[in-house]
Amino acid sequence: MNDSSLRLERSGDLATLTIDRPQARNAINFPMLESLEQALDDLSGNLPRLLVIRAAEPGFCAGIDLKESREARSDFVRVRVGLMHRCLNRLRSLPCPVVAAINGVAVGLGCEIAISADLRIASPDARFCYPEPRVAVPSPSQHLIWLIGLARAQDMLLTARWIEAPEAERIGLATHIAEDLDRGVAELTDQIMDLAPLSMRRTKENLWITMTEGIEAASRHHQDGVTEAADTADRKEALQAFAEKRRPHFTGE
């Protein structure tokens, strides 16, 4: 990755992606999108058990870089928005669980990055907004509708209003609020890292198949997954640990 404003770091089976451009309130420009795509290549080629997305202060992400947009021609805009959607789709489809740690504001593209995570922990001062109508472009809606439903997405997108942390948690925009964000992320990380990686990947796949292909396809996928799991080392370890009344140690095999 060539852009220091977006860092991918690893500690064992845990990967952390940090947005670090505080001078622009962590707004995303084109080089950062290119770095994000490169990071996704790295993650796909060497999959961690868990990816955590977080941001440096003062807030999670102020959206797309409007200073870059001021000088952008339509051909550049098409390339940039295409890259943006490609990155978001790849982020959502990563086989491993993805957690977003949302501090402060998440605006526009910042919201899209946050809701591309499977689980979203927000600080009490977190705020969410899709302000695109205020800058004369349409808001993305396709994933938000799945997450919070049509009526709530309409309310959020067609008013461009701010959603404060308590409401975000109530409508599902945030999974939960943590008074101490770092501690909340650490506790959730420990919880997820104790689970069987192959099972988590299959479960995540099944969730998306249910949403995109329907219940029958998801049922077939689940049957295949349970059958394949029977011969894995992790399944045998889980049953042995149960018999011995101890915690299992999963290796992802």
Side-chain angles (χ1 to χ4, degrees):
M1 294 175 62
N2 298 321
D3 195 322
S4 60
S5 299
L6 194 73
R7 300 193 310 275
L8 178 62
E9 300 165 303
R10 291 178 182 265
S11 177
D13 289 323
L14 172 66
T16 303
L17 186 66
T18 303
I19 305 169
D20 189 6
R21 196 180 176 218
Q23 71 277 14
R25 301 187 68 82
N26 292 326
I28 304 290
N29 59 18
F30 189 77
M32 291 174 70
L33 285 172
E34 291 181 313
S35 291
L36 177 56
E37 186 168 49
Q38 185 179 348
L40 290 165
D41 288 340
D42 184 299
L43 290 164
S44 298
N46 183 15
L47 196 68
R49 283 198 185 188
L50 173 66
L51 171 65
V52 175
I53 304 173
R54 59 192 321 147
E57 296 294 343
F60 186 72
C61 177
I64 203 73
D65 188 340
L66 293 182
K67 289 185 178 179
E68 183 180 72
S69 298
R70 287 180 62 186
E71 301 175 1
R73 298 172 61 90
S74 59
D75 52 351
F76 171 78
V77 170
R78 177 171 290 278
V79 171
R80 186 178 66 177
V81 74
L83 176 57
M84 180 189 79
H85 280 290
R86 189 162 68 247
C87 287
L88 291 171
N89 288 335
R90 290 187 63 188
L91 183 58
R92 291 166 190 149
S93 62
L94 271 180
C96 66
V98 179
V99 171
I102 305 155
N103 56 311
V105 301
V107 176
L109 177 54
C111 271
E112 286 290 289
I113 293 172
I115 69 173
S116 294
D118 303 297
L119 300 167
R120 298 160 301 283
I121 304 181
S123 62
D125 65 343
R127 306 174 74 214
F128 302 80
C129 182
Y130 283 88
E132 284 82 359
R134 295 196 181 105
V135 291
V137 292
S139 297
S141 62
Q142 60 276 15
H143 190 59
L144 185 68
I145 289 173
W146 280 5
L147 191 65
I148 65 174
L150 176 60
R152 286 169 173 159
Q154 287 171 316
D155 176 43
M156 189 173 183
L157 298 180
L158 298 180
T159 64
R161 71 181 181 89
W162 286 96
I163 304 292
E164 306 292 335
E167 182 180 4
E169 183 182 34
R170 179 173 58 80
I171 67 176
L173 201 58
T175 309
H176 61 266
I177 299 169
E179 292 294 330
D180 184 327
L181 188 60
D182 289 340
R183 181 177 178 181
V185 171
E187 290 175 351
L188 183 58
T189 295
D190 289 344
Q191 183 179 355
I192 292 174
M193 296 288 276
D194 274 346
L195 302 175
L198 295 178
S199 173
M200 296 291 281
R201 293 173 199 172
R202 271 291 193 171
T203 299
K204 182 170 176 176
E205 288 174 0
N206 197 260
L207 287 166
W208 284 107
I209 289 173
T210 302
M211 292 295 295
T212 58
E213 300 179 35
I215 292 175
E216 289 188 7
S219 295
R220 291 192 297 271
H221 177 270
H222 181 256
Q223 292 172 43
D224 291 342
V226 171
T227 303
E228 291 172 9
D231 294 326
T232 64
D234 277 353
R235 175 63 170 167
K236 294 171 184 176
E237 163 65 9
L239 296 175
Q240 187 67 28
F242 175 79
E244 296 173 359
K245 296 182 172 56
R246 60 173 175 82
R247 292 176 64 180
H249 174 68
F250 296 122
T251 62
E253 298 178 353

